[in-house]
Amino acid sequence: MVDCDMALTAASRSRGAGSDEERMREIYEFTARSLKTARPVPFGALIVDTRTGERLMRATNAVFRESDPSAHAETRTVRLACKKLKRPSLAGYTMYSTCEPCAMCMANALWARLDRVVFGATITDANRHCLQIHIPAKEVSRRSDMPCIVEGPVLRELCNSLFEHPNMQKAFRTWSTSKTKPAKS
């Protein structure tokens, strides 16, 4: 799923940049829509202008849909946002992710020069359901020459509910990165 519509409601515009909780709820709701599809995913990311809160891009994980192990929600959202802006820098922007970015996604956020990364569920939460690289996003950022504020968890329980949804639990059993064994036919 991808949505590059930058329009916000008048109510959203009047709140300015909005709170981290509002933005996390927005990407949670967008990602939750995938739970009603044939290929549900618990990972979604949203990039907004840090100052105004204007939405630039949002997307969900598409690893299986695109047969691309790097098609995580965060990397897809960065790629699409950079293409839309026609530049490789996202300085002045903040990313919200339903789950703490893995090392690959956090490195991508750093190379894109994002101001902030805010996450919902943690790597530990995700690891209960699928394989993970156990390096916290804050650690990746701390060990970088590129400054980026990493904050979270924000609305952890809400974002973790994406992993717990029955349709997601069923899908996890088919994932090659699942922590559970595939269902026998």
Side-chain angles (χ1 to χ4, degrees):
M1 252 190 229
V2 173
D3 180 10
C4 58
D5 178 17
M6 292 179 57
L8 295 173
T9 65
S12 294
R13 262 187 249 106
S14 69
R15 286 193 300 262
S19 73
D20 288 343
E21 291 81 11
E22 289 170 314
R23 295 291 175 232
M24 191 61 70
R25 193 171 303 281
E26 178 183 347
I27 192 56
Y28 163 83
E29 290 170 0
F30 178 74
T31 306
R33 292 187 339 209
S34 82
L35 298 174
K36 298 174 186 167
T37 70
R39 293 193 178 189
V41 292
F43 304 103
L46 163 70
I47 295 176
V48 302
D49 183 292
T50 300
R51 189 177 46 78
T52 67
E54 183 176 6
R55 182 190 322 133
L56 175 63
M57 187 63 61
R58 61 187 180 180
T60 58
N61 180 298
V63 168
F64 292 104
R65 190 170 60 247
E66 296 179 4
S67 297
D68 178 356
S70 71
H72 290 198
E74 299 92 341
T75 57
R76 289 185 71 232
T77 307
V78 165
R79 284 181 194 138
L80 293 165
C82 288
K83 281 183 183 180
K84 183 172 188 161
L85 294 175
K86 295 181 174 37
R87 65 177 199 232
S89 174
L90 294 175
Y93 289 89
T94 296
M95 177 191 292
Y96 293 89
S97 178
T98 57
C99 187
E100 182 176 2
C102 71
M104 174 185 71
C105 292
M106 190 61 219
N108 182 278
L110 292 166
W111 285 114
R113 303 293 201 269
L114 284 162
D115 295 346
R116 294 174 64 223
V117 171
V118 181
F119 64 87
T122 66
I123 288 172
T124 301
D125 296 331
N127 188 237
R128 290 196 339 255
H129 308 283
C130 54
L131 301 176
Q132 293 293 311
I133 298 171
H134 299 276
I135 304 172
K138 289 177 184 177
E139 176 73 8
V140 175
S141 180
R142 186 183 67 75
R143 296 182 67 171
S144 165
D145 291 334
M146 299 157 276
C148 180
I149 298 166
V150 180
E151 297 180 312
V154 172
L155 297 179
R156 181 179 184 180
E157 290 79 22
L158 180 66
C159 292
N160 198 38
S161 72
L162 294 164
F163 293 92
E164 302 292 341
H165 190 279
N167 291 346
M168 195 63 248
Q169 288 292 306
K170 182 178 176 184
F172 278 135
R173 290 191 289 277
T174 69
W175 285 21
S176 61
T177 58
S178 175
K179 296 285 283 196
T180 61
K181 293 186 176 161
K184 297 195 184 203
S185 311

